[in-house]
Amino acid sequence: MNSTALSAAKSRLRASMKQRLASLTQDVIASQSAKVFESLSKFKPYIDAKNVGVYLSMPGGEIQTESIVRHAIASGKQVFVPYLHKSGLPSGEGPVRLMDMVSLKDVRDYETLKRDKWGIPSIDAATVNERKRSVGELDGERSEDISLDLILMPGVAFDVDSETGDIRRLGHGKGFYDYFLHRYALGIAAAQKPLDSRPAVLLYALALKEQLLSPDAEESVPVGSHDQPIDGVFLGDGQIKESAKKGSD
């Protein structure tokens, strides 16, 4: 599939999923979010993790992460959350904006985050230099790279590749996570020589059960060479789907 066809296929699936998820009530989303939290809280890699990256959720249409953030902080974990900023790259040499993961100081810090135009709690740019970073370069300044043990990611749709058993993820179309993971791999994880060219950090998504495409459905998640496979996905019905390679470890 060429790049034009791939982009069109992704756009169609995003539009289809947006319509499907729009019918879900807040009560349904809250119930599924609670089941994801219950599964995650018993998940050994999460229990053992010291540094956890987690997305901060929109008010609707996806698994809510507030209880996860609060639990992780209360459990003594260092929580890292997305921070979007201008890349500073010359035009045509990369994305205009980059995503990095920066640390929360404590629960009070989380509670004081202001919501952006999408209703997502967001890091104040004025505080970034006071925070730890998972990729040390930010706005041209270097700091210590902090290695993450687990990243909990959002997504629009997911499925299981019938040939490889990989969990495939369709993002929101900005490429923030794929480019972040590429930079992360070149930095910390590349030095650790991960298998299968995957970052050494565990990559799990959180999804409403409606976001997992059935093997019998006509739809599937279209992927290109730059799309990052993930290790698994926590679903709103309590299931944890893991990639075939991960499941065979």
Side-chain angles (χ1 to χ4, degrees), residues 95-154:
V96 175
R97 299 175 76 205
L98 294 176
M99 186 193 88
D100 285 301
M101 288 276 186
V102 300
S103 65
L104 291 176
K105 299 173 185 177
D106 50 35
V107 72
R108 175 62 180 162
D109 184 26
Y110 168 69
E111 291 173 344
T112 57
L113 297 181
K114 304 298 184 184
R115 292 185 180 271
D116 64 15
K117 62 182 180 181
W118 295 282
I120 303 171
S122 299
I123 297 292
D124 183 347
T127 70
V128 168
N129 287 330
E130 305 166 6
R131 301 175 186 275
K132 297 176 182 178
R133 309 170 194 169
S134 56
V135 178
E137 185 173 355
L138 186 65
D139 298 332
E141 297 183 8
R142 294 290 303 175
S143 70
E144 180 186 1
D145 289 317
I146 303 297
S147 183
L148 302 179
D149 302 307
L150 172 68
I151 297 178
L152 302 174
M153 309 167 65

Side-chain angles (χ1 to χ4, degrees), residues 8-9 13 26 41 49 57 79 89 109 111 117 120 142 148 153 161 173 175 191 205 209 214 239:
L13 183 53
Q26 289 299 108
S41 64
S57 49
V79 176
L89 297 172
D109 184 26
E111 291 173 344
K117 62 182 180 181
I120 303 171
R142 294 290 303 175
L148 302 179
M153 309 167 65
D161 188 311
K209 64 182 182 179
S214 167
Q239 293 187 78

Side-chain angles (χ1 to χ4, degrees), residues 13 17 153-160 167-170 205-208 211-214 221 230 232-233 235:
L13 183 53
M17 290 302 302
M153 309 167 65
V156 175
F158 304 87
D159 72 358
V160 181
I167 304 293
R168 300 184 294 197
R169 167 186 173 271
L170 176 68
L206 312 180
L208 298 159
Q211 292 179 282
L212 180 68
L213 303 180
S214 167
V221 172
I230 60 176
V233 56
L235 295 170

Side-chain angles (χ1 to χ4, degrees), residues 164-177:
T164 66
D166 280 339
I167 304 293
R168 300 184 294 197
R169 167 186 173 271
L170 176 68
H172 289 278
K174 302 296 185 181
F176 289 134
Y177 276 89

Side-chain angles (χ1 to χ4, degrees), residues 1 17 52 66 76 103 120 139 141 191 198 210 225 229 240:
M1 186 183 296
M17 290 302 302
V52 177
E66 179 171 351
S103 65
I120 303 171
D139 298 332
E141 297 183 8
R198 290 189 180 185
E210 290 81 4
S225 59
I240 306 173

